[in-house]
Amino acid sequence: MFKHVLAASIAGFVAFAPVAGEAQQRTLTVYSSLDEDQAKALIKGFEAKHPQIKVNAILGSTAPIIARVIAEAASPQADIIMGNAVSALMAADARGLLLPYKPAQYDKVAPVMRDGRAEPVWVGIDAWASSLCFNTVEAAKKNIPAPKSWADLTNPIYKGQITMPSPLSSGTALLAVNGWLTVFGEKGGWEFMDKLHENVSKYGHSGSAPCRQSASGESIIGISYATPGVKSINEGAPIQIILPSEGLGWEIEAAAIVKGAKNLADAKAMSDWTSSREAAEISAKFLPITAYDDIQSLPKNYPADEKSKLLKMDFGKLAASREAVMAEWQKRYGVKVPPKS
Amino acid sequence: MTLETVSLSVAPNVEPSRASASARPFLSLSGLTKRYGATTVVQDASLDVMRGELLCILGPSGCGKTTLLRLIAGFETADAGSIRQDGQEISAHPPEARDFGIVFQSYALFPNRTVAGNVGFGLEVLPMSRADRAARIRELLELVGLEGHSQKYPSQISGGQQQRVALARALALSPGLLLLDEPLSALDANVRASLRDELRALQRRVGVTSIMVTHDQQEALSIADRVVVMNAGRIEQVGAPAELYHQPANLFVARILGEINALPVSSLTGTCVESQGLSFRLAEPLGAGKPGAFLCFRPAAVTLANEGMLAGPGIGARVTATAFLGDRLRLVLLPDEAGAPAITAEVPFPRFGAPPAPGDHVTFGVAPSQLFLLDDHG
Amino acid sequence: MAEVAITAHRPTRQIMPDLTGKALPPVLLLVLGTVTVLPISALLIRAFLGRDGGFVGLDNFIRYATEPGLAVAAWNSTSLSAIATVIVMALAFPYAYALVRTRMPGRGFFRVMALLPLLAPSLLPAFGLVFLFGNQGWLKHWLLGESLYGPVGIVMASAFYAFPHAVLILSAGLSAGDQRHYEAARALKAGPWRRFVSVTLPSCRYAAISAASIVYILVFTDFGIPSVVGGSTNVLATDIYKLVIGRFDFEMGAVVGVLLLLPAVIAYGIDWFARRSQRSMITGKSVPIQPERLVWRDAALLAFACVVTCVILGIIGMAIYGSLVRFWPYNLTLGLQNYERLFTDDDEFRALGNSLVLATGAALIGTTMVALSGWLVARKLGASGVRNGLQAVAMVPVAVPGLVLGLGYVFFFNNPVNPLHGLQGTMLLIMLCTVAHFYTVPHLMAVNELQRLDREIDMAAQALRVRPAGSARRVFLPVLLPTLVDIAGYFFVNAMTTVSALIFLFTAQTRVAAIAVINLVEGSRIGQAAAFAVLIMALSMVATAIQMVLRGLVLRSQSWRRRTT
């Protein structure tokens, strides 16, 4: 082990001089919010195709990655964002930080996974949807039934048993909120959230945390998305992933090239790769919904009917109303005093 | 710089006799002024220090004496005035470019260095051999009587010993000027007295021009060639101890050099002085009367009627307190005259018979030659 | 050569102007300012700018003030920090007192225990607290029905996190007393309690004020704790996260950043005031404290220290336990499976190596800078304006959340206009950021230690024609050496665990272990995250052990510290 650490330490010191060494190899800096294993698999596939390019990946959550891109605007460090929520990418695009590019196989990508503009800025990689994580063991202890729909969550029996992320800091929460506004309409959506608010014990910062908390019995129901639930089940958590009957708010994770990319040609190569069928087949090992409609897959323990429950959503409108929704949410629930559980 | 130019001996730089003969002062301050914001701590101080002499700056705390010393050392920069040392203008020089050694009240020894390490601190930057340096350190430690302690640390020796180390350290570079900032104040009374005498002897032997700051008039009078009295940032008077004691320039100087009876003068005609109902006779008539001046005499100038002849008419008084001072007796006398102030007297302890006791009635007088008139300010 | 006269007079030496005293303070101020105040300002200036970069005056402040929730967040921050400060001081004072002013057995052991919370990434105690007091926690009923998630959790975790800082500062302050004061008080027939109230308390007033200020500011600006155990309780530090990260509103985030600086500004005023009144308390003539044996007091404090230590060990032990079980709380089979990935995944391994590089570099750079700034401030070198500037700049980082510092670094260094633009993306920049982030406490430690020497020491050296640099090397450095070992250790362990300032700065090559822990949590690999956090703590423990051995060796070599031979 110590040899390894020593070698790593030396490598760390080499990082003092970022351009030293590896002169024959080009580097490409990729920011990604995809699932870590998925991102690494996609990068591995890319490097296999382009052995002369070394990918330097910075992985992080949706919002911090975009915040970093915005903060670095004066001198962009990233070449390409390989996977981030489209709504967040739009915030960077609104600041003029993204470069339009139409990847080689753009037209083969499922229409819903495309930007749609004449000069597309993003191209979809996969999509993820709202879901509930439900702890069966704790629920049995308290004799609480499993919810079947979003509306069920407003039942007083769930008071203090639900956690969800705050849409002010989590893209996952935002897609749930957008889903509710789509299902129940503008007015009905907020009325639903008013009632839900009575039952929520905690609004956190991380989109995956509610599912983790459900998995460790800290709460019974977590409003989250499927992937953390799948991972927890694989590790042995007594939870069930519930896809509420009204339908699921969802969002696309897409790739976009950063304006001012130092390695533009290679960034374009990466964009071509991520929108290829081959890459979609890799992603399909992690998520059922990818850029290619016809690829059928279902990762282990992943809920089977996610794709069929996706709501029809107007992403353009939702992106435009992003700040207004946040402001309204802050006004209504931002100063919540949590109810005693 | 070469080794030869550094005096490695502790022999006198210059014979003291020659020093007194030479008219040119070794250190000359003129018009030194130092302000901190609106307060002037040293005002227009001018002073000549002769080669080889030991000068004491005496004054109450806050009078500016330490600031004056720090100006000479260069730890403070004067707002006005000049300092010449050995013929060179040095007021713009930083401390390390000046030629002095200094001893502080707090000793300020380096806690992490041995006695030898402290003494040798300044020698280590000089181009001299290890053996020469060791010899020099030994010589200095012998000089202050600490031969056996060279490997001890400051925390392992007494206060008196620490101050000797500080002294040896200050002399290590054979400075032309030795500055002593209340060097004895932190010591016990008996250590203090013996170290005072040692300090004086050592200064004579080495012959280094020295300036010592103190608030203790006895220390100043017993050790100094000349004393500078300071008050509120100003130099009040400079002179030999006896000169100051007997001919103080003003009441402030008179008071700081020792206890004194000071009575406001109400009238002065010829040799007759009236003060608060008491009358005294002077040895010789003074000039025109100075209203507001004080008639002064030391307690020792008082004689009791039965001790011998009184020069003038005696003053009747009651003894209110006595204090035994060994061979002398201190008395507080309250004259019979209504409204007259209490007088402090010091008389020889009577060899025979009972000494005066509180409640006794005595008659006293003051020798005319011991009376002088002083103003409040110089 | 025959002309050379051996003269009894000493020539006036040609002395070069003293560069150390004149040039070093401004240079150090420039360096320290460049890694702290300038980047922080680069972000905070945005509080007064619109999104397009134009000056908008106080518009952002008004916009923020009218936003619902501000008052609640501000009140939560203020009150919870105050409660945590009171609790920490109430625990840390007797603890520090027991360490340096009594003859309680096992003082060395208890000193190490008090510092344990410093060694763990902040997620570790958060896990520990959840495992103990969360909804599935073993001791959940101790909270009497209160939920951990909320004010209770924030106060508990903050107290755990701030406790070692308070113990460090207080024990330094308490060990700097004068034995003669106690002898004098005894002569005046003062009993132990009176001696404590009339001598001990006043003598450590300054340390107590520093400790309380630091604790308050640490809690006030910390983001990690409220985000994990804060539930829905909004505080200013999480507001800034929501504004900057969630809404990409850097301008409003800067407004909160400015608000977060307020306690530090107040604390700096208090510190300045306390420093003025402290001046005469300790002199070089002080006799070191020799604690007396008081059986009842030592026994009571021993019991107290045992309880505190048990709490610390309980929280950390619980987290270690959590890293060893298969799936908390449903599958408690013990095993090392969570550690396996750390030994098989190259990226995680590299992160661990990077952490060691970062920690070593931060310790070297930080210790060097602190030694210089502490010396210049404590020994009053250079112009007073520059010196006060240094002291003020050194006080800033503690008041700044890591997020603000990290973002500031991006805005400041990742700008082609900046001549230091080349540092962007390097490990050196991450080291500097880490040094800046943790600068305040070591700086105060160095200043306090060096202020204990007489002011006249410098003058004595000057009179011996030894330059400030010479006396620094020959006197102050040896005196400061044990403290410098501690300071290096402080930088090292903090660099091992810090996250918040680095999330905007790390690159693929410079990703460190603490970031890897966050990534693991985000990837829902809680067990592996806990395991990695435990591993980081273990490395920090090794570093601390080395630090203590070094300190012991230094102290042993410095026989002058012992009063008798």
Side-chain angles (χ1 to χ4, degrees):
Chain A
M1 152 171 191
F2 281 104
K3 242 182 217 168
H4 260 92
V5 174
L6 189 70
S9 305
I10 292 164
F13 271 116
V14 169
F16 271 116
V19 284
E22 298 181 354
Q24 73 285 7
Q25 218 175 15
R26 303 203 298 271
T27 59
L28 180 69
T29 302
V30 171
Y31 287 10
S32 176
S33 311
L34 297 177
D35 174 73
E36 189 178 340
D37 294 335
Q38 182 191 356
K40 283 182 174 171
L42 285 173
I43 288 165
K44 205 172 149 202
F46 176 77
E47 284 179 337
K49 272 184 111 78
H50 303 273
Q52 76 284 13
I53 303 173
K54 165 91 181 73
V55 172
N56 289 324
I58 289 172
L59 308 181
S61 293
T62 309
I65 286 288
I66 297 297
R68 185 167 170 165
V69 169
I70 295 173
E72 289 172 345
S75 170
Q77 299 295 307
D79 294 315
I80 182 169
I81 303 168
M82 184 193 76
N84 206 306
V86 166
S87 63
L89 285 173
M90 294 312 284
D93 189 41
R95 288 166 170 80
L97 301 177
L98 303 180
L99 185 77
Y101 174 66
K102 195 173 194 173
Q105 308 190 45
Y106 184 76
D107 297 329
K108 294 190 182 146
V109 167
V112 72
M113 302 293 274
R114 297 186 207 150
D115 188 339
R117 287 177 284 184
E119 291 203 319
V121 163
W122 57 266
V123 57
I125 297 171
D126 57 41
W128 90 109
S130 290
S131 65
L132 299 176
C133 287
F134 179 73
N135 187 312
T136 52
V137 171
E138 301 304 320
K141 278 188 204 160
K142 293 188 178 165
N143 213 5
I144 290 174
K148 294 193 168 49
S149 64
W150 293 118
D152 283 353
L153 294 180
T154 59
N155 186 332
I157 198 172
Y158 298 116
K159 192 172 179 67
Q161 310 297 350
I162 302 172
T163 58
M164 73 170 280
S166 159
L168 300 183
S169 50
S170 159
T172 304
L174 204 59
L175 68 90
V177 170
N178 284 338
W180 299 328
L181 292 174
T182 306
V183 169
F184 302 115
E186 177 83 19
K187 186 160 168 285
W190 287 110
E191 279 169 8
F192 165 76
M193 282 184 263
D194 286 344
K195 286 188 216 141
L196 179 67
H197 180 66
E198 295 301 312
N199 288 349
V200 170
S201 71
K202 176 190 169 179
Y203 296 111
H205 300 291
S206 154
S208 57
C211 210
R212 290 199 302 271
Q213 287 178 330
S214 167
S216 62
E218 293 299 311
S219 73
I220 291 177
I221 299 171
I223 300 175
S224 183
Y225 58 104
T227 304
V230 172
K231 291 196 172 188
S232 297
I233 292 170
N234 290 344
E235 292 199 7
I239 57 168
Q240 199 185 325
I241 298 169
I242 295 173
L243 306 178
S245 54
E246 295 96 332
L248 312 175
W250 60 286
E251 190 163 18
I252 297 161
E253 285 187 295
I257 293 175
V258 176
K259 194 181 275 177
K262 294 190 182 77
N263 309 294
L264 186 56
D266 294 342
K268 285 178 176 169
M270 176 60 97
S271 183
D272 291 346
W273 159 248
T274 52
S275 52
S276 70
R277 187 180 177 85
E278 214 177 323
E281 276 163 357
I282 292 173
S283 292
K285 290 177 191 150
F286 303 89
L287 295 150
I289 308 168
T290 64
Y292 288 78
D293 242 349
D294 53 328
I295 297 177
Q296 296 293 329
S297 84
L298 192 63
K300 187 185 162 200
N301 287 326
Y302 208 98
D305 49 350
E306 187 182 77
K307 212 169 185 172
S308 63
K309 284 192 173 169
L310 299 185
L311 290 165
K312 192 168 163 42
M313 295 173 79
D314 183 345
F315 289 113
K317 191 182 144 206
L318 290 174
S321 66
R322 185 176 180 271
E323 299 220 355
V325 167
M326 283 183 173
E328 180 68 18
W329 197 90
Q330 165 75 7
K331 201 172 92 190
R332 287 177 184 249
Y333 319 118
V335 294
K336 160 154 192 157
V337 180
K340 299 272 152 65
S341 51
Chain B
M1 110 175 198
T2 60
L3 186 59
E4 284 84 349
T5 56
V6 180
S7 166
L8 283 178
S9 86
V10 285
N13 290 344
V14 168
E15 293 295 319
S17 55
R18 246 178 65 201
S20 52
S22 103
R24 203 181 54 151
F26 177 69
L27 181 77
S28 180
L29 317 180
S30 76
L32 275 191
T33 299
K34 175 73 186 172
R35 290 180 210 94
Y36 291 123
T39 37
T40 306
V41 275
V42 172
Q43 194 169 0
D44 198 22
S46 297
L47 180 67
D48 285 341
V49 187
M50 295 301 155
R51 199 178 284 280
E53 83 169 322
L54 171 54
L55 188 87
C56 274
I57 305 178
L58 176 67
S61 59
C63 71
K65 56 187 189 298
T66 295
T67 308
L68 186 60
L69 195 78
R70 292 163 61 95
L71 286 170
I72 296 169
F75 298 134
E76 305 279 356
T77 324
D79 296 311
S82 78
I83 307 170
R84 294 183 75 80
Q85 182 175 344
D86 208 10
Q88 268 204 316
E89 172 62 48
I90 59 162
S91 46
H93 292 193
E96 56 268 34
R98 301 189 186 190
D99 177 23
F100 69 96
I102 189 162
V103 175
F104 297 99
Q105 180 183 351
S106 65
Y107 323 140
L109 295 182
F110 308 120
N112 59 320
R113 311 194 116 228
T114 59
V115 166
N118 266 278
V119 174
F121 193 80
L123 299 172
E124 285 166 25
V125 292
L126 297 183
M128 66 196 290
S129 74
R130 200 176 279 264
D132 283 350
R133 187 158 63 227
R136 173 69 175 156
I137 292 170
R138 207 176 317 117
E139 197 178 9
L140 286 157
L141 287 179
E142 273 168 25
L143 188 71
V144 295
L146 285 175
E147 301 90 327
H149 301 280
S150 66
Q151 291 315 306
K152 289 187 180 165
Y153 287 103
S155 62
Q156 296 161 348
I157 57 177
S158 73
Q161 289 170 326
Q162 290 189 47
Q163 199 53 299
R164 284 166 213 241
V165 176
L167 188 60
R169 183 179 67 180
L171 291 172
L173 296 179
S174 305
L177 183 64
L178 178 64
L179 304 177
L180 302 140
D181 186 4
E182 307 232 14
L184 306 172
S185 303
L187 300 169
D188 305 336
N190 52 341
V191 179
R192 193 169 172 166
S194 66
L195 197 57
R196 182 180 74 196
D197 296 341
E198 265 182 60
L199 184 64
R200 178 55 171 153
L202 195 86
Q203 192 268 340
R204 285 259 154 78
R205 195 138 46 96
V206 180
V208 59
T209 311
S210 304
I211 301 176
M212 174 165 131
V213 159
T214 178
H215 65 268
D216 181 334
Q217 102 278 2
Q218 255 204 309
E219 202 169 282
L221 293 179
S222 61
I223 202 172
D225 292 317
R226 285 193 302 151
V227 175
V228 177
V229 176
M230 280 189 75
N231 179 31
R234 289 174 177 280
I235 292 178
E236 295 279 356
Q237 194 176 4
V238 185
E243 187 184 334
L244 257 62
Y245 191 80
H246 294 295
Q247 293 150 34
N250 57 46
L251 197 51
F252 177 84
V253 176
R255 279 211 167 111
I256 200 159
L257 290 174
E259 198 172 9
I260 195 159
N261 293 296
L263 292 72
V265 173
S266 40
S267 80
L268 174 63
T269 43
T271 57
C272 184
V273 191
E274 296 275 338
S275 172
Q276 295 190 300
L278 305 178
S279 64
F280 298 87
R281 193 164 292 278
L282 297 173
E284 52 196 78
L286 292 171
K290 288 191 246 170
F294 290 84
L295 177 72
C296 300
F297 53 95
R298 301 278 175 196
V302 175
T303 46
L304 296 184
N306 55 357
E307 285 175 36
M309 299 285 287
L310 290 177
I315 298 167
R318 196 160 294 283
V319 178
T320 58
T322 63
F324 176 60
L325 302 177
D327 59 335
R328 299 180 71 76
L329 189 67
R330 204 178 109 102
L331 304 170
V332 180
L333 306 171
L334 191 64
D336 299 337
E337 210 68 45
I343 304 290
T344 307
E346 259 182 51
V347 298
F349 197 84
R351 293 199 199 183
F352 311 103
D360 290 357
H361 194 271
V362 297
T363 305
F364 74 91
V366 184
S369 62
Q370 309 262 15
L371 284 168
F372 43 94
L373 288 169
L374 289 179
D375 272 341
D376 211 346
H377 299 289
Chain C
M1 289 314 258
E3 292 289 322
V4 176
I6 298 179
T7 155
H9 292 218
R10 287 162 44 100
T12 309
R13 277 221 273 166
Q14 292 305 306
I15 298 243
M16 299 265 295
D18 170 39
L19 284 176
T20 321
K22 289 203 169 56
L24 184 61
V27 168
L28 192 65
L29 180 61
L30 184 70
V31 172
L32 192 58
T34 305
V35 299
T36 57
V37 173
L38 292 183
I40 292 163
S41 311
L43 176 65
L44 296 188
I45 193 84
R46 292 188 167 232
F48 306 96
L49 303 178
R51 195 163 284 185
D52 55 359
F55 182 75
V56 296
L58 293 177
D59 280 6
N60 291 324
F61 287 83
I62 294 162
R63 196 153 63 92
Y64 183 68
T66 51
E67 179 129 330
L70 160 74
V72 175
W75 167 249
N76 285 341
S77 280
T78 312
S79 59
L80 293 178
S81 305
I83 294 168
T85 304
V86 169
I87 291 173
V88 167
M89 291 302 285
L91 295 173
F93 190 89
Y95 201 98
Y97 184 86
L99 289 183
V100 297
R101 286 292 185 88
T102 72
R103 295 173 67 181
M104 177 182 81
R107 295 191 298 280
F109 167 78
F110 286 116
R111 174 178 284 274
V112 177
M113 290 299 110
L115 299 184
L116 273 186
L118 280 184
L119 307 184
S122 62
L123 276 168
L124 194 79
F127 292 152
L129 278 176
V130 168
F131 294 158
L132 278 174
F133 301 108
N135 293 340
Q136 301 298 320
W138 289 354
L139 305 175
K140 185 190 171 202
H141 54 278
W142 283 22
L143 297 183
L144 305 171
E146 282 291 323
S147 167
L148 173 71
Y149 301 101
V152 175
I154 293 179
V155 168
M156 282 170 72
S158 301
F160 179 88
Y161 154 68
F163 180 75
H165 292 91
V167 169
L168 273 178
I169 298 169
L170 285 172
S171 60
L174 279 167
S175 62
D178 188 340
Q179 180 68 15
R180 287 177 307 191
H181 292 155
Y182 290 87
E183 286 157 7
R186 261 197 133 141
L188 292 168
K189 310 273 179 254
W193 178 248
R194 249 207 82 212
R195 292 204 292 276
F196 176 77
V197 171
S198 59
V199 182
T200 307
L201 286 184
S203 76
C204 64
R205 195 178 45 203
Y206 176 60
I209 291 171
S210 305
S213 315
I214 296 271
V215 169
Y216 191 91
I217 293 166
L218 280 177
V219 177
F220 198 83
T221 57
D222 182 66
F223 158 74
I225 288 169
S227 74
V228 175
V229 292
S232 304
T233 307
N234 268 345
V235 295
L236 289 175
T238 51
D239 263 16
I240 204 172
Y241 184 86
K242 279 192 260 180
L243 287 165
V244 169
I245 306 291
R247 290 162 70 175
F248 313 127
D249 193 339
F250 295 97
E251 290 72 30
M252 293 267 268
V255 168
V256 186
V258 170
L259 294 180
L260 282 168
L261 276 175
L262 286 181
V265 172
I266 296 166
Y268 182 71
I270 295 172
D271 174 83
W272 183 77
F273 206 74
R275 196 173 286 278
R276 285 173 77 94
S277 56
Q278 178 78 7
R279 200 160 284 169
S280 60
M281 291 298 290
I282 303 159
T283 73
K285 294 186 295 293
S286 297
V287 177
I289 294 283
Q290 288 151 323
E292 51 189 336
R293 190 180 289 284
L294 279 177
V295 174
W296 58 267
R297 178 197 64 189
D298 292 0
L301 286 172
L302 179 62
F304 169 76
C306 284
V307 170
V308 172
T309 299
C310 282
V311 171
I312 293 171
L313 286 179
I315 291 172
I316 291 176
M318 206 57 206
I320 295 175
Y321 174 72
S323 76
L324 291 171
V325 301
R326 200 162 279 274
F327 193 87
W328 171 271
Y330 301 109
N331 182 351
L332 300 181
T333 321
L334 292 175
L336 287 171
Q337 66 286 339
N338 287 326
Y339 289 83
E340 273 163 24
R341 177 185 165 116
L342 312 177
F343 296 89
T344 50
D345 187 314
D346 278 353
D347 282 350
E348 311 303 34
F349 229 77
R350 178 147 77 163
L352 212 53
N354 279 342
S355 274
L356 290 177
V357 172
L358 165 63
T360 308
L364 291 176
I365 297 170
T367 308
T368 308
M369 285 177 68
V370 161
L372 291 173
S373 71
W375 171 57
L376 293 177
V377 169
R379 306 313 296 176
K380 300 195 162 43
L381 267 86
S384 66
V386 175
R387 227 185 313 120
N388 291 338
L390 261 179
Q391 176 72 0
V393 167
M395 293 296 285
V396 169
V398 77
V400 177
L403 189 70
V404 170
L405 186 68
L407 268 175
Y409 262 59
V410 176
F411 285 129
F412 185 68
F413 289 102
N414 187 39
N415 191 329
V417 180
N418 189 327
L420 298 171
H421 179 49
L423 287 176
Q424 177 66 32
T426 65
M427 185 57 110
L428 181 60
L429 190 72
I430 291 181
M431 287 173 181
L432 290 173
C433 181
T434 306
V435 166
H437 193 180
F438 298 104
Y439 202 81
T440 306
V441 170
H443 172 81
L444 288 177
M445 283 163 74
V447 169
N448 287 341
E449 184 65 25
L450 287 177
Q451 266 177 347
R452 290 163 63 177
L453 291 177
D454 275 322
R455 176 79 188 102
E456 281 91 11
I457 290 254
D458 309 70
M459 302 187 200
Q462 259 182 307
L464 294 168
R465 303 177 170 200
V466 174
R467 305 259 191 84
S471 47
R473 185 171 53 78
R474 291 156 68 192
V475 178
F476 298 123
L477 187 60
V479 167
L480 192 59
L481 206 52
T483 309
L484 286 182
V485 173
D486 287 349
I487 286 171
Y490 182 90
F491 276 118
F492 190 97
V493 297
N494 276 302
M496 288 296 289
T497 59
T498 187
V499 176
S500 53
L502 305 189
I503 57 170
F504 295 102
L505 297 176
F506 80 91
T507 63
Q509 286 82 18
T510 59
R511 179 171 171 267
V512 294
I515 298 271
V517 174
I518 299 288
N519 288 156
L520 286 171
V521 171
E522 287 299 325
S524 296
R525 296 189 172 102
I526 301 300
Q528 288 174 4
F532 214 158
V534 169
L535 208 59
I536 291 173
M537 187 177 69
L539 286 174
S540 295
M541 280 175 169
V542 171
T544 307
I546 293 170
Q547 170 199 337
M548 291 175 69
V549 169
L550 265 179
R551 187 178 207 278
L553 288 177
V554 167
L555 285 176
R556 182 184 292 195
S557 72
Q558 296 187 329
S559 51
W560 54 271
R561 290 183 191 270
R562 293 188 282 278
R563 273 191 99 190
T564 49
T565 36

